[in-house]
Amino acid sequence: MRLNKYLAQCGVCSRRDADKLIEQGKVLVNGQVAGMGQQVEETDTVQVGKKVLQGKQTCKVLAFYKPVGVVCTERDPHAEKKIMDMIRCPERLTYAGRLDKDSEGLILLTNDGDLINAMMRGANRHEKEYIVKIDREITPDFLEIMRKGIYLKDLDITTRECKIEKIGKYTFRIILTQGVNRQIRRMCEACGAKVRSLKRIRVMNIRLGDLKPGEWRKVTGEELETLLTDTGMLNRK
């Protein structure tokens, strides 16, 4: 197995980041500095920094309901409530796709760096679904402008076309296929509206379901198999 894939399956990081660690000379194989493209076997001892890896892990995915006020960060010492403080797990997990502090809803966490990379890659156009409440009545014009895509001046980009429907006087459902920072809030502001509440209820085939704020569940069985299939990770080489 290629070393970068091995590091990803051990939950260290994505293959891309693994290549950076190898290039920086931070990875040892059997006590020797590893080289780019190096192959490893199960009998090899692989070390990253001072940590000796225990071997590749079974892919684990958790669905977590991030409450409002919790920050998607692993190390920020100034954050009062961090997402990783709320999930106690013996192995390293990383979240795929942020939600800002004032938003809530579904966050996926996994020990598989390659899976995170596949889910986050914008070119794959994986769907994310949200329920949003704004401070003004929703009109057909608002829905049409949002649906066609909006130019965001501060980022100098135009958002992709999306699916959107009105489900209440001030509430709409929206499905995005890209991950621009604070995208929905920026889109609404460009239309003269402010977001009052924002909840993510689905990432690809994984749904928030009956989870309550702060709760999490394991993604297993057919649900996990579908996620791995849709990201091209089921039969990875």
Side-chain angles (χ1 to χ4, degrees):
M1 181 186 295
R2 286 176 67 93
L3 180 57
N4 61 355
K5 177 183 177 182
Y6 179 83
L7 294 179
Q9 291 192 3
C10 286
V12 174
C13 55
S14 68
R15 292 194 205 188
R16 183 181 303 173
D17 288 338
D19 284 336
K20 293 178 182 177
L21 291 175
I22 296 168
E23 189 175 12
Q24 293 166 2
K26 296 180 179 180
V27 182
L28 304 180
V29 176
N30 300 324
Q32 302 295 316
V33 176
M36 295 296 293
Q38 184 166 339
Q39 300 282 327
V40 293
E41 300 179 357
E42 291 185 3
T43 54
D44 290 326
T45 300
V46 180
Q47 183 176 338
V48 179
K50 296 181 179 180
K51 182 179 180 181
V52 177
L53 304 184
Q54 300 301 313
K56 65 180 182 178
Q57 306 173 51
T58 301
C59 177
K60 175 180 288 185
V61 179
L62 304 182
F64 172 64
Y65 189 145
K66 186 195 89 67
V68 171
V70 173
V71 180
C72 290
T73 183
E74 297 183 48
R75 299 182 179 88
D76 185 354
H78 303 294
E80 293 182 10
K81 296 181 180 179
K82 301 189 291 291
I83 188 171
M84 303 313 296
D85 293 336
M86 304 192 71
I87 299 179
R88 299 300 179 185
C89 186
E91 57 195 298
R92 180 183 181 275
L93 298 176
T94 304
Y95 48 85
R98 294 171 178 264
L99 281 174
D100 62 58
K101 183 179 179 180
D102 296 326
S103 300
E104 63 182 307
L106 180 62
I107 288 276
L108 298 184
L109 300 103
T110 179
N111 61 347
D112 190 324
D114 279 349
L115 178 58
I116 289 175
N117 201 35
M119 286 192 287
M120 296 294 290
R121 195 174 297 127
N124 290 337
R125 295 178 177 264
H126 296 315
E127 290 188 345
K128 297 180 285 291
E129 184 174 348
Y130 304 81
I131 302 296
V132 186
K133 183 176 182 179
I134 59 176
D135 66 347
R136 50 169 269 194
E137 187 172 350
I138 296 168
T139 64
D141 284 345
F142 173 86
L143 295 176
E144 187 64 16
I145 292 170
M146 293 280 283
R147 180 180 297 112
K148 288 183 175 179
I150 294 177
Y151 177 67
L152 303 178
K153 185 176 181 180
D154 56 338
L155 300 180
D156 192 26
I157 63 168
T158 299
T159 61
R160 288 177 186 161
E161 291 186 4
C162 65
K163 300 176 184 177
I164 185 172
E165 65 171 329
K166 179 178 178 178
I167 57 176
K169 187 174 182 179
Y170 303 100
T171 309
F172 63 88
R173 180 195 314 273
I174 187 168
I175 299 175
L176 303 179
T177 58
Q178 63 187 134
V180 177
N181 182 36
R182 298 173 68 87
Q183 180 174 344
I184 296 173
R185 295 181 188 275
R186 292 176 188 271
M187 291 172 69
C188 289
E189 288 172 4
C191 293
K194 289 188 178 296
V195 171
R196 294 305 188 199
S197 65
L198 189 155
K199 180 193 291 186
R200 185 157 64 200
I201 61 172
R202 178 172 66 88
V203 175
M204 298 181 64
N205 67 301
I206 311 299
R207 295 186 176 275
L208 186 63
D210 297 329
L211 287 176
K212 301 295 189 296
E215 293 182 345
W216 59 272
R217 64 179 176 84
K218 292 182 179 180
V219 176
T220 59
E222 183 178 339
E223 190 179 32
L224 178 59
E225 184 174 330
T226 298
L227 177 67
L228 296 176
T229 298
D230 291 348
T231 53
M233 294 290 106
L234 184 62
N235 296 309
R236 72 188 88 178
K237 299 299 181 180

